[in-house]
Amino acid sequence: MSEKKDPGVWQGFKAFLMRGNVVDLAVAVVIGAAFTNIVNSVVKGIINPIVGAIGTKNLDSYSSCLKEPCKVAADGTVTSGIQIMWGSVLGATLSFVITAAVVYFLMVLPMAKYLARVEARRKAREGAHEVIEVTELEVLKQIRDELVAQRGAAGRDGR
């Protein structure tokens, strides 16, 4: 016995995939992945050398020993003691702040300004449209008043 699949489920799934939010999210993930390379290059090429002028270029090497003696093997694993790797947290935090700043200043802020301009233009057009409608309404009222006045004058003349 073969089971028939409910066409409503497939239609719902297609509607879900074609929904604007899902497509926008997919685009955001792809652009975010490409953008990660830029941010990593900025951190590696600019931030790390600046930090390297003070200490070492590799932020991952900054750590503190919570429980002595801290011994690290050649492959980077801690063999004794408890080591806190705060340098990697600092590096990740710097990457996040740089990413957030670049996204805000190069994407969010210009888009917000653009949308504000578009909205101002739309409101200006609506305002002009309302003025035209009010003017047309006033003209129609004047025509009506003239017609009423003419009928009233014609009624007094006996026509």
Side-chain angles (χ1 to χ4, degrees), residues 17-84:
L17 288 179
M18 298 311 291
R19 190 181 305 168
N21 295 344
V22 174
V23 174
D24 290 344
L25 181 60
V27 169
V29 168
V30 170
I31 289 176
F35 191 69
T36 299
N37 290 333
I38 294 171
V39 172
N40 287 340
S41 296
V42 168
V43 169
K44 191 177 191 179
I46 297 172
I47 301 298
N48 285 351
I50 290 172
V51 172
I54 300 168
T56 179
K57 289 183 181 179
N58 186 3
L59 292 177
D60 292 339
S61 67
Y62 287 106
S63 64
S64 296
C65 190
L66 190 62
K67 183 177 178 185
E68 297 289 340
C70 284
K71 293 182 182 172
V72 180
D75 63 353
T77 58
V78 178
T79 55
S80 69
I82 299 174
Q83 189 173 26
I84 297 185

Side-chain angles (χ1 to χ4, degrees), residues 8 12 28 34 37 41-42 52-53 60 71 74 89 99 109 112 116 128 130 136 140-141 146 150:
N37 290 333
S41 296
V42 168
D60 292 339
K71 293 182 182 172
V89 175
T99 304
L109 193 60
E130 289 175 8
E136 290 175 4
L140 290 173
K141 284 181 182 179
E146 284 292 320
Q150 285 178 359

Side-chain angles (χ1 to χ4, degrees), residues 79-149:
T79 55
S80 69
I82 299 174
Q83 189 173 26
I84 297 185
M85 305 295 291
W86 59 269
S88 59
V89 175
L90 178 63
T93 303
L94 285 173
S95 293
F96 173 77
V97 169
I98 291 168
T99 304
V102 169
V103 167
Y104 180 75
F105 289 113
L106 295 182
M107 295 178 187
V108 173
L109 193 60
M111 184 58 83
K113 287 181 180 180
Y114 170 75
L115 292 176
R117 278 183 287 184
V118 168
E119 184 67 19
R121 285 186 199 133
R122 186 187 64 79
K123 285 185 179 181
R125 271 186 266 133
E126 285 180 0
H129 185 63
E130 289 175 8
V131 169
I132 291 170
E133 286 180 5
V134 169
T135 305
E136 290 175 4
L137 183 61
E138 291 299 321
V139 170
L140 290 173
K141 284 181 182 179
Q142 290 175 357
I143 292 171
R144 180 199 63 201
D145 294 343
E146 284 292 320
L147 289 173
V148 169

